[in-house]
Amino acid sequence: MIQIVDSANFSTKRSIENGTKEQQEAVREILAKVKAEGDAALRFYTEKFDRVALEEFRVTEAEWAEAEGLVSREVAEALREAADNIRDYHQRQVRQSWFTTGPSGTMLGQLVRPLKRVGLYVPGGTAAYPSSVLMNAIPAKIAGVPEIVITTPPGRDGKVNPAILVAAKIAGVTEIYKVGGAQAIAALTYGTEQIEAVDKIMGPGNIFVALAKREVFGLVSIDMVAGPSEIVVLADDTAEPRYVAADLLSQAEHDRFASAVLVTPSRKLAEAVAAEVERQVALLPRREIAEASLRNHGAICLVKDLQEGFAVVNRLAPEHLELLIENPIEQLGLVENAGAIFLGSYSSEPVGDYFAGTNHVIPTNGTARFSSPLSVDDFVKKSSVVYYSKEDLRNNGKKIMAIAEQEGLSAHARAIGERLADLDKLEQKKERD
Amino acid sequence: MIQIVDSANFSTKRSIENGTKEQQEAVREILAKVKAEGDAALRFYTEKFDRVALEEFRVTEAEWAEAEGLVSREVAEALREAADNIRDYHQRQVRQSWFTTGPSGTMLGQLVRPLKRVGLYVPGGTAAYPSSVLMNAIPAKIAGVPEIVITTPPGRDGKVNPAILVAAKIAGVTEIYKVGGAQAIAALTYGTEQIEAVDKIMGPGNIFVALAKREVFGLVSIDMVAGPSEIVVLADDTAEPRYVAADLLSQAEHDRFASAVLVTPSRKLAEAVAAEVERQVALLPRREIAEASLRNHGAICLVKDLQEGFAVVNRLAPEHLELLIENPIEQLGLVENAGAIFLGSYSSEPVGDYFAGTNHVIPTNGTARFSSPLSVDDFVKKSSVVYYSKEDLRNNGKKIMAIAEQEGLSAHARAIGERLADLDKLEQKKERD
């Protein structure tokens, strides 16, 4: 089911999902209707798509409380410990505002401050991912964002998955609204009677959610347009085939479009992993999904040596990269493009997905070439600060005017000139006195 | 020409420019043609839009050398000194990779590394802005980006403005190509025979350039979708009306859509500034543009007191904010949203536009609520690194599996389980021995 191919025949396509014309039109219509009609439009779409009639969208205190009893103590405890680890890691990303002072009284600086209100979209459907709530909300909390809200489609019973509520409580989320789809993105962007607009929208979703985020980009900040999840395992003869196969499968079970690729110079390993994949896939409840994913987006790519292996990895720029090779730490410098890098036999990707503390929201689709895992940086904004002294203006004003005039912007030059003229007069007066 | 309005009647609309359907279609056609035909398509569009037939797009060494002689020594010297200041400021934004080590052998970290290749679009037309070359290229250089390229539309003579070339040399730009419009964005995204694709595209442009950037967002990183430039001056009775008027005009001269707003509790200042604007605008070569801008997008907004003034400022979230008030430093904490903040009488905006060292690429259109001036951060990518120890996996494996099972992702749990089983066997063997 997973093909062994030579590197010469191994290619990956990269594309962005822009949806069909019909989907784009549908999304624009939803955005416009929510912008114009607010909650009435949200009610309309929630009844149409989620098949439930809601008056109030906000999750009540009673529902929060009820959720606590519906999640096993073991899972809640594991989530709490994971949250501690995520806090510890992300705390190290926090940056301070800074100032620098010049000898003539000039001060320049950079203010680093949190966004005021952010919204996380949590998909509904069969699977609920409490870990994603932690991964999105905790960095925001650590950045100092005072208002962190979630929107998520309600079930047919008008409820939200209890594990989502428990994770939200652990992460410090302050409000949850039962709204899904493009209409949720519209509510977060424009605001409605019950849902206040936010500054930034995070979180994955179906094609309608993705298109809506793309459409409102610029009015609010959006995290990224996430593609299907990916893993590349770069392994040599020292790797345990059972581990490699299990890690590839853990990616493949996500969905039919997920991609799992082993890159190795060892034909022996390649064959052993292929056999292990066959054996292990049969044990999986999500077997059908994993098989489809491996068939269409999986591969074992045989390379000449590890050097070529790293070249393939850097071309792919994968979301997740595992180095199951001898001395992985020594080789870390050869990785140019990868969102998250897992080193050695015991750093299986789920360690990072759930628990170690690093973020699991990571750039997909080759965008690790230029973007980064979600971090505290995504929840702050910076402002430049300029306090220019009289003396520095006197010393440098003419130079500033020279550049402005070169650019044909005389009013810029005049703004400096008005001040220089006054300073000259002051100077002359001082000399006269 | 500039209206005095009460804060109750003062509103600002915020919108994003999505262009007309025809413009969108035109841009998609250009992108597709360049993707398919490469340089041939670039030649076609350069002849069509720039009216010049070019074989080679890259600026030659001879052209670089020639440019040096065409820019005044005074301007070149001022640009060099500005570049030094910009370097000094941005150097302070540089971040290091970091690692943390746990007591059981686990190491977590974050690699911070430069992008490999970035492209700056420099608009053509009447005005050339060498300062923008410095502001975009220097942070990239300081981040460590090895390849910084410029594309810019050629004049009818097939040449590039010499001031652009001089600034590019000062900033450390390595390649310049004579291509403009949406076709330049296409070349930077997909690559052609002569122009290699980049990881990120910066720089402002006309509506076609803006739409093209929006369209390729996701395949490459883009800096922002820049709107018209804005200034808000918050001033009290201590402000010099001549300075306020000159600073408003320096914004208004940019283009007809630029916005210049004075917010003040002082009717006396309001009237004096309005009169000064009338007087000074008559002195400007770009008078017509400034008048149109002030008429349509300028205002003097009268507020009850400075507290209300700050509320208006924070709602506007302006690109540039000047505080011409008593003790501006003491009031800095009241500014929630502004891209760049200029404090006191001698910190006129052109000081930051050209010389002080802060960046002049700043979020417009209210996006300072969630985004930041261009910085070294825009030219790095981060990768998470996870080295998880055997002991930590033994201690925490079951918790990781509990969360995975809760999420219905059994293969994730299995990936951990395969390892835990081996560790258990090892343990038992040790006990037996």
Side-chain angles (χ1 to χ4, degrees), chain B residues 218-244:
Chain B
L219 283 176
V220 291
S221 172
I222 65 170
D223 54 348
M224 60 174 78
V225 181
S229 197
E230 316 150 337
I231 193 172
V232 172
V233 180
L234 178 64
D236 62 18
D237 261 331
T238 67
E240 168 55 56
R242 279 183 293 119
Y243 298 175
V244 176

Side-chain angles (χ1 to χ4, degrees), chain B residues 120-178:
Chain B
L120 165 60
Y121 186 85
V122 174
T126 47
Y129 297 140
S131 61
S132 289
V133 173
L134 303 183
M135 293 292 178
N136 279 280
I138 290 175
K141 195 86 192 167
I142 287 186
V145 177
E147 297 172 20
I148 305 170
V149 315
I150 284 178
T151 62
T152 187
R156 294 282 281 271
D157 58 356
K159 299 240 163 140
V160 170
N161 183 298
I164 296 296
L165 293 182
V166 166
K169 178 78 79 181
I170 292 171
V173 171
T174 44
E175 305 154 41
I176 301 189
Y177 297 94
K178 301 168 188 170

Side-chain angles (χ1 to χ4, degrees), chain A residues 46-118:
Chain A
T46 303
E47 206 158 334
K48 181 171 174 186
F49 297 128
D50 304 304
R51 308 293 174 104
V52 54
L54 294 179
E55 269 311 305
E56 302 288 321
F57 297 108
R58 187 161 176 174
V59 170
T60 63
E61 280 306 318
E63 288 172 311
W64 283 93
E66 185 193 32
E68 298 283 345
L70 297 173
V71 173
S72 83
R73 185 183 297 256
E74 184 194 13
V75 169
E77 198 40 62
L79 286 172
R80 256 186 290 272
E81 202 171 326
D84 286 341
N85 294 340
I86 296 166
R87 272 185 214 108
D88 183 65
Y89 180 86
H90 288 78
Q91 191 63 50
R92 296 164 202 269
Q93 295 171 332
V94 173
R95 301 176 73 178
Q96 304 302 318
S97 300
W98 55 263
F99 267 90
T100 163
T101 53
S104 313
T106 286
M107 291 172 68
L108 302 179
Q110 181 178 277
L111 291 177
V112 182
R113 288 171 306 172
L115 306 191
K116 186 154 172 260
R117 184 175 168 88
V118 302

Side-chain angles (χ1 to χ4, degrees), chain B residues 66-275:
Chain B
E66 185 193 31
E68 299 282 345
L70 297 173
V71 174
S72 83
R73 185 182 296 256
E74 184 194 13
V75 169
E77 198 41 61
L79 287 172
R80 255 186 292 272
E81 202 171 325
D84 286 341
N85 294 340
I86 298 166
R87 272 184 214 108
D88 183 65
Y89 180 86
H90 288 79
Q91 191 63 51
R92 296 164 202 270
Q93 296 171 332
V94 173
R95 300 177 73 180
Q96 303 302 320
S97 299
W98 54 264
F99 267 89
T100 163
T101 53
S104 313
T106 286
M107 291 172 68
L108 302 179
Q110 182 178 277
L111 292 177
V112 181
R113 289 171 305 174
L115 305 191
K116 187 154 172 257
R117 183 174 169 88
V118 301
L120 165 60
Y121 186 85
V122 174
T126 47
Y129 297 140
S131 61
S132 289
V133 173
L134 303 183
M135 293 292 178
N136 279 280
I138 290 175
K141 195 86 192 167
I142 287 186
V145 177
E147 297 172 20
I148 305 170
V149 315
I150 284 178
T151 62
T152 187
R156 294 282 281 271
D157 58 356
K159 299 240 163 140
V160 170
N161 183 298
I164 296 296
L165 293 182
V166 166
K169 178 78 79 181
I170 292 171
V173 171
T174 44
E175 305 154 41
I176 301 189
Y177 297 94
K178 301 168 188 170
V179 185
Q183 61 273 23
I185 304 304
L188 292 172
T189 303
Y190 305 115
T192 69
E193 297 89 328
Q194 291 185 29
I195 306 179
E196 205 185 315
V198 300
D199 298 319
K200 178 167 192 141
I201 301 175
M202 303 95 72
N206 62 19
I207 181 70
F208 295 99
V209 171
L211 288 177
K213 282 172 68 181
R214 208 172 229 294
E215 199 72 24
V216 301
F217 166 61
L219 283 176
V220 291
S221 172
I222 65 170
D223 54 348
M224 60 174 78
V225 181
S229 197
E230 316 150 337
I231 193 172
V232 172
V233 180
L234 178 64
D236 62 18
D237 261 331
T238 67
E240 168 55 56
R242 279 183 293 119
Y243 298 175
V244 176
D247 292 356
L248 294 175
L249 284 167
S250 79
Q251 200 58 33
E253 78 169 336
H254 269 297
D255 59 67
R256 287 160 194 280
F257 301 100
S259 157
V261 172
L262 167 63
V263 178
T264 183
S266 163
R267 177 167 287 277
K268 190 175 140 225
L269 181 77
E271 284 166 2
V273 168

Side-chain angles (χ1 to χ4, degrees), chain A residues 89 93 95 109-110 113 131 243 250 253 335 337-338 345 347 377 381-383 388 407 412 419 422, chain B residues 89 93 95 109-110 113 131 243 250 253 335 337-338 345 347 377 381-383 388 407 412 419 422:
Chain A
Y89 180 86
Q93 295 171 332
R95 301 176 73 178
Q110 181 178 277
R113 288 171 306 172
S131 61
Y243 298 175
S250 79
E253 77 168 337
V335 181
N337 302 319
S345 291
S347 311
D377 293 342
K381 59 192 175 189
K382 292 159 272 181
S383 302
Y388 214 57
E407 295 192 348
H412 282 63
R419 288 153 166 105
D422 286 356
Chain B
Y89 180 86
Q93 296 171 332
R95 300 177 73 180
Q110 182 178 277
R113 289 171 305 174
S131 61
Y243 298 175
S250 79
E253 78 169 336
V335 181
N337 302 318
S345 291
S347 311
D377 293 342
K381 59 190 176 190
K382 291 159 273 180
S383 302
Y388 214 57
E407 295 192 349
H412 283 62
R419 288 154 166 103
D422 287 356

